[in-house]
């Protein structure tokens, strides 16, 4: 027989309050760790989501809006730019790759991007990783053909050989064009926003029935990759387009611009952390209350233990360990809650932005939070332990009436 | 040879309204090793307090309690706890078993508190009191008589030199009382433990050769002082 047996027997006797306290702590621990991990993982994912590009050129407007629209298919385009702007940047000696994007249409809520085949064949979206076809082939630039991102194909059940009518606009106000497109390829999952878009030839989008004829020579943005020394080239182009010009906006560096998104929603992040902190404190309070409330009923047991030779310090130790055990159950369950919350958030974020989170990715908070909560749980045990310490043995050994 | 020697023992209580009242004043009391002694006393006469003083649960206001050659009144509370765990077994009127623990654990617990680990001893004691088949039951699943038998096994767990029994048959019917008393005396004898039993029950007391009246040895001063 060990102290562990005594503690577990005692917890079993108050099983309901033990589980309530442990589950509340698990929710608090899971919430606390997942908020931290979601925040840091999504921030890292967004900041590194330049999709292999160094800069974006688009119509004058908010840099963050341009980045969100061009890279994540979120928000609205800032407007159109001329095809000649694309030609000009493409011919810049410092530019290795320039990819035009034309947006504004959708299918079943998923954005359609008019582009060139080089987006699919030449872009290295991560070091050493290029887009690959899961099935089919890249569209023919001269035909009404489409390549579908893996997530869209999966959600809409699209496969090579299917036909669809793009809709003008995005969202509920979208209405179908007459043009019919043939799915000729499905992309392999890349865990990038490309998974949740449909790619068609840029001319196709420009010349879509019902579009303003003016758009025939226009695109929404150009995604740019520099050859080398991107800092120097970026500064030169930043001067050219942002400071000297007034018609276009160059988004550079992309990661810096995307970081602004997190600065803007920093208040939300702080509020969530505060809520998680409060939940954790409430959970610790629950542990304290759950043991403290049993102390009156346990006075006789404590007196008996003292009468058969248990010292006060031993009983204090047991009660503190009892609180720590509830804490331990809570933080272990908290890891399950953490993975569940992370999986839920990852699924949501992937569906909305294409950014992928890893529910099992290591983060220091996964050690710091459980250890802190465990220590706080043990600390919470000191209040009931003090009550036990002061139990009047003689008075509580009297015969039961 | 004296196992227990009590000299000029005094214990006072203060009531909630501030009155201090002396409940124990025992000039001299001796108990030899392996001896059986019953103390007769009415409810409220201070005999339970006397046992709690001897066991070290309560600290005496003055006097000495020498157990196996060591004066308990000179020890710290923690030292008294340790002596109690090793040298004294306690049997209560209302059994005082721990409800969260199984029968076997109730008997093993004092062994653990004394720093040991002897499951075989606990098993043997349960067998001795006839409750081997109830080892995995919780106290609430046992009858009153069975619960007191578990308490007897618990009291003997550490082979104590002294067993204190406070009205051990007070919550039992006549048949169970007789059997329980017989069992207490037998296991104490088998283990070489002295037995000091207090009771106000004539039938219980009649079983003992040596019975003393608590009123004869306990003479608290009647004056009370309001502070």
């Amino acid at each position: 027989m060990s102290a562990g047996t005594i503690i577990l027997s005692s917890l079993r006797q108050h099983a309901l309050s033990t589980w309530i306290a442990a589950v509340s702590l698990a929710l608090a621990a899971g919430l606390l760790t997942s908020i931290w991990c979601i925040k840091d993982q999504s921030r890292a994912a967004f900041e590194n989501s330049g999709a292999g590009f160094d800069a974006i050129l688009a119509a004058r407007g908010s840099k963050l809006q341009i980045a969100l629209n061009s890279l994540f298919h979120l928000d609205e385009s800032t407007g159109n730019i001329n095809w000649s702007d694309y030609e000009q940047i493409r011919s810049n000696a410092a530019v290795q790759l320039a990819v035009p994007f034309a947006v504004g249409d959708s299918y079943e809520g998923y954005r359609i991007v008019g582009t060139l085949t080089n987006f699919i064949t030449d872009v290295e979206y991560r070091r050493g990783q290029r887009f690959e076809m899961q099935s089919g082939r890249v569209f023919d630039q001269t035909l009404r053909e489409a390549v579908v991102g893996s997530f869209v194909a999966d959600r809409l059940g699209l496969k090579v050989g299917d036909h669809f009518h793009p809709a003008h606009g995005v969202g509920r106000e979208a209405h179908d064009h007459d043009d019919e497109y043939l799915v000729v390829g499905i992309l392999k999952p890349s865990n990038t926003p490309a998974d949740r878009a449909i790619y068609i030839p840029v001319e196709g989008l420009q010349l879509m029935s019902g579009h303003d004829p003016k758009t025939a020579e226009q695109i929404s943005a150009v995604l740019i990759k520099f050859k080398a020394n991107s800092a120097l080239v970026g500064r030169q182009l930043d001067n050219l387009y942002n400071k000297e010009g007034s018609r276009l906006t160059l988004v550079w560096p992309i990661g810096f611009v995307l970081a602004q998104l997190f600065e803007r929603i920093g208040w939300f992040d702080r509020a969530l952390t505060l809520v998680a902190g409060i939940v954790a404190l409430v959970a610790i309070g629950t542990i304290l209350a759950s043991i403290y409330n049993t102390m009156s009923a346990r006075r006789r047991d404590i007196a008996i233990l003292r009468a058969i030779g248990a010292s006060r310090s031993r009983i204090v130790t047991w009660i503190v360990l009892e609180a720590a055990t509830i804490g331990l159950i809570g933080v272990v369950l908290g890891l399950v809650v953490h993975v569940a919350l992370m999986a839920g958030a990852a699924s949501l974020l992937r569906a909305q932005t294409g950014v992928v989170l890893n529910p099992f990715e290591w983060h220091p908070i996964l050690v710091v939070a459980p250890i802190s909560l465990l220590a706080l749980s043990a600390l919470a045990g000191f209040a009931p332990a003090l009550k036990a310490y002061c139990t009047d043995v003689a008075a509580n050994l009297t015969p039961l009436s | 040879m004296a196992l227990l020697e009590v000299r000029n023992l005094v214990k006072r209580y203060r009531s909630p309204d501030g009155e201090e009242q002396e409940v124990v004043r025992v000039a001299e009391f001796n108990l030899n090793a392996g001896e059986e002694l019953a103390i007769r006393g009415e409810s409220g006469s201070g005999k339970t307090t006397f046992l709690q003083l001897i066991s070290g649960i309560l600290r005496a206001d003055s006097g000495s309690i020498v157990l196996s050659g060591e004066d308990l009144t000179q020890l710290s509370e923690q030292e008294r706890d340790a002596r109690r765990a090793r040298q004294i077994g306690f049997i209560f009127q209302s059994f005082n078993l721990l409800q969260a623990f199984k029968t076997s654990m109730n008997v093993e617990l004092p062994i653990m508190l004394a720093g040991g680990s002897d499951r075989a001893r606990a098993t043997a004691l349960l067998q001795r009191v006839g409750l081997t088949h109830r080892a995995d039951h919780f106290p609430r699943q046992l009858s009153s008589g069975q619960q007191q038998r578990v308490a007897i096994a618990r009291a003997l767990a550490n082979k104590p030199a002294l067993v204190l029994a406070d009205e051990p048959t007070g919550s039992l019917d006549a048949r169970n009382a007789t059997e329980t008393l017989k069992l207490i005396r037998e296991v104490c004898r088998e283990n070489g433990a002295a037995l000091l039993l207090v009771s106000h029950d004539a039938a219980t007391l009649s079983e003992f050769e040596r019975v003393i009246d608590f009123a004869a040895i306990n003479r608290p001063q009647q004056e009370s002082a309001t502070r």
Side-chain angles (χ1 to χ4, degrees):
Chain A
M1 188 177 189
S2 63
T5 319
I6 292 169
I7 290 161
L8 290 178
S9 296
S10 178
L11 289 175
R12 226 180 355 243
Q13 197 180 18
H14 312 284
L16 182 64
S17 59
T18 297
W19 280 111
I20 289 173
V23 168
S24 8
L25 190 69
L27 292 175
L31 199 60
L32 205 62
T33 52
S34 57
I35 284 174
W36 236 286
C37 291
I38 290 167
K39 178 181 73 175
D40 285 3
Q41 275 195 48
S42 55
R43 186 177 196 130
F46 269 88
E47 288 178 16
N48 295 320
S49 280
F53 293 100
D54 296 312
I56 306 165
L57 186 65
R60 181 51 61 114
S62 153
K63 289 181 176 178
L64 182 59
Q65 185 182 344
I66 293 167
L68 288 176
N69 185 251
S70 305
L71 296 173
F72 297 100
H73 315 301
L74 297 170
D75 213 333
E76 297 296 321
S77 161
T78 51
N80 289 338
I81 61 174
N82 296 325
W83 183 256
S84 57
D85 295 319
Y86 160 68
E87 298 281 5
Q88 189 183 16
I89 191 80
R90 190 189 64 170
S91 59
N92 188 313
V95 169
Q96 179 187 323
L97 180 68
V99 178
F101 263 22
V103 298
D105 286 349
S106 65
Y107 176 62
E108 298 288 338
Y110 292 96
R111 308 237 181 166
I112 293 175
V113 179
T115 188
L116 300 177
T117 53
N118 65 353
F119 175 73
I120 295 166
T121 55
D122 296 353
V123 170
E124 200 173 70
Y125 61 88
R126 276 187 213 106
R127 191 179 289 273
Q129 286 185 293
R130 291 171 193 273
F131 294 113
E132 289 180 65
M133 303 306 294
Q134 186 170 281
S135 60
R137 57 171 174 79
V138 180
F139 55 75
D140 185 319
Q141 201 67 54
T142 61
L143 299 174
R144 286 177 179 164
E145 292 181 344
V147 168
V148 181
S150 60
F151 186 78
V152 180
D154 186 48
R155 284 296 166 97
L156 301 183
L158 286 175
K159 54 190 182 302
V160 174
D162 287 351
H163 290 85
F164 68 94
H165 287 275
H168 183 64
V170 175
R172 286 180 184 166
E173 71 280 7
H175 57 270
D176 286 355
H177 288 293
D178 293 334
D179 310 55
E180 188 178 69
Y181 274 77
L182 170 69
V183 177
V184 294
I186 309 288
L187 288 173
K188 267 190 184 171
S190 60
N191 291 337
T192 68
D195 291 348
R196 43 183 298 282
I198 298 169
Y199 298 92
I200 63 170
V202 66
E203 293 89 343
L205 203 130
Q206 288 170 323
L207 300 170
M208 196 83 73
S209 62
H211 278 181
D212 187 336
K214 284 189 295 184
T215 63
E217 285 297 315
Q218 291 185 324
I219 54 172
S220 307
V222 185
L223 278 66
I224 305 157
K225 181 165 181 59
F226 301 136
K227 277 181 180 163
N229 200 351
S230 65
L232 181 64
V233 181
R235 264 195 297 277
Q236 286 170 348
L237 292 176
D238 183 45
N239 268 330
L240 179 68
Y241 289 111
N242 297 337
K243 296 190 173 72
E244 293 169 14
S246 61
R247 192 171 56 83
L248 302 174
T249 292
L250 182 83
V251 178
W252 175 86
I254 292 174
F256 178 76
V257 172
L258 285 171
Q260 290 176 344
L261 172 68
F262 287 88
E263 282 163 23
R264 285 190 191 181
I265 61 168
W267 64 270
F268 181 67
D269 172 45
R270 285 190 292 277
L272 270 182
T273 308
L274 183 68
V275 168
I278 291 169
V279 172
L281 284 180
V282 169
I284 297 295
T286 310
I287 291 179
L288 192 156
S290 77
I291 299 179
Y292 197 88
N293 289 340
T294 64
M295 293 319 291
S296 295
R298 290 163 69 180
R299 274 185 312 202
R300 191 174 190 86
D301 284 358
I302 290 163
I304 295 167
L305 283 166
R306 296 272 293 110
I308 60 174
S311 63
R312 287 181 200 266
S313 58
R314 198 163 207 161
I315 287 175
V316 165
T317 307
W318 284 344
I319 290 172
V320 170
L321 284 175
E322 204 174 303
T325 305
I326 297 176
L328 185 65
I329 297 169
V331 297
V332 169
L333 289 178
L335 290 176
V336 178
V337 174
H338 167 83
V339 172
L341 287 176
M342 286 293 292
S347 163
L348 192 69
L349 202 62
R350 188 178 176 210
Q352 295 300 318
T353 67
V355 166
V356 175
L357 304 182
N358 178 4
F360 299 100
E361 189 172 297
W362 161 253
H363 191 290
I365 194 70
L366 291 170
V367 168
V368 174
I371 287 178
S372 306
L373 290 172
L374 205 54
L376 284 172
S377 304
L379 202 63
F382 274 99
L386 186 66
K387 200 172 179 182
Y389 186 90
C390 297
T391 299
D392 183 339
V393 179
N396 285 290
L397 286 174
T398 51
L400 298 164
S401 52
Chain B
M1 182 192 162
L3 169 72
L4 176 69
E5 291 176 300
V6 175
R7 297 289 180 271
N8 303 317
L9 184 66
V10 176
K11 180 65 184 174
R12 299 182 195 91
Y13 280 126
R14 185 174 295 171
S15 64
D17 55 7
E19 274 190 18
E20 202 167 64
Q21 193 172 7
E22 199 170 274
V23 289
V24 171
R25 179 174 284 272
V26 175
E28 185 177 355
F29 176 82
N30 296 318
L31 185 71
N32 289 330
E35 188 182 359
E36 272 185 358
L37 174 66
I39 296 179
R40 180 193 299 115
E42 295 307 312
S43 297
S45 62
K47 55 189 190 304
T48 295
T49 303
F50 183 56
L51 291 190
Q52 290 179 343
L53 285 165
I54 290 172
S55 68
I57 289 173
L58 289 176
R59 178 183 273 281
D61 290 322
S62 62
S64 65
I65 303 163
V66 178
L67 178 69
S68 302
E70 194 169 36
D71 187 354
L72 297 182
T73 61
Q74 300 303 308
L75 301 179
S76 67
E77 185 184 69
Q78 197 157 358
E79 287 167 333
R80 294 201 309 274
D81 292 337
R83 301 301 181 283
R84 186 163 63 250
R86 291 196 194 95
Q87 297 184 37
I88 299 174
F90 228 126
I91 302 171
F92 305 90
Q93 178 183 340
S94 49
F95 327 131
N96 282 345
L97 298 178
L98 292 161
Q99 299 299 317
F101 299 160
K102 289 176 181 174
T103 299
S104 55
M105 288 169 70
N106 265 286
V107 181
E108 278 178 54
L109 193 57
I111 302 173
M112 183 209 142
L113 291 174
S117 172
D118 191 350
R119 181 166 288 182
R121 167 84 180 157
T123 308
L125 281 165
L126 277 178
Q127 188 178 16
R128 175 63 188 87
V129 299
L131 288 174
T132 309
H133 63 295
R134 295 287 197 174
D136 287 331
H137 286 66
F138 286 95
R140 62 176 178 279
Q141 297 170 307
L142 307 180
S143 69
S144 298
Q146 287 173 327
Q147 287 191 51
Q148 193 60 304
R149 278 149 64 191
V150 176
I152 293 166
R154 180 179 67 183
L156 272 298
N158 283 320
K159 300 178 186 166
L162 174 63
V163 170
L164 303 174
D166 187 1
E167 302 277 8
T169 57
S171 300
L172 303 175
D173 58 45
R175 190 175 64 85
N176 266 314
T178 308
E179 285 176 8
T180 301
L181 187 61
K182 185 167 171 262
L183 185 64
I184 292 172
R185 297 177 70 190
E186 280 174 7
V187 292
C188 282
R189 270 186 224 125
E190 288 161 14
N191 286 273
L195 173 63
L196 177 58
L197 178 145
V198 298
S199 178
H200 67 275
D201 178 53
T204 301
L205 295 168
S206 67
E207 299 288 325
F208 285 78
E209 284 180 15
R210 191 181 163 208
V211 178
I212 59 171
D213 202 331
F214 192 56
I217 60 165
N218 185 38
R219 297 181 179 279
Q221 292 176 352
Q222 296 305 306
E223 311 90 79
S224 62
T226 305
R227 297 195 177 185

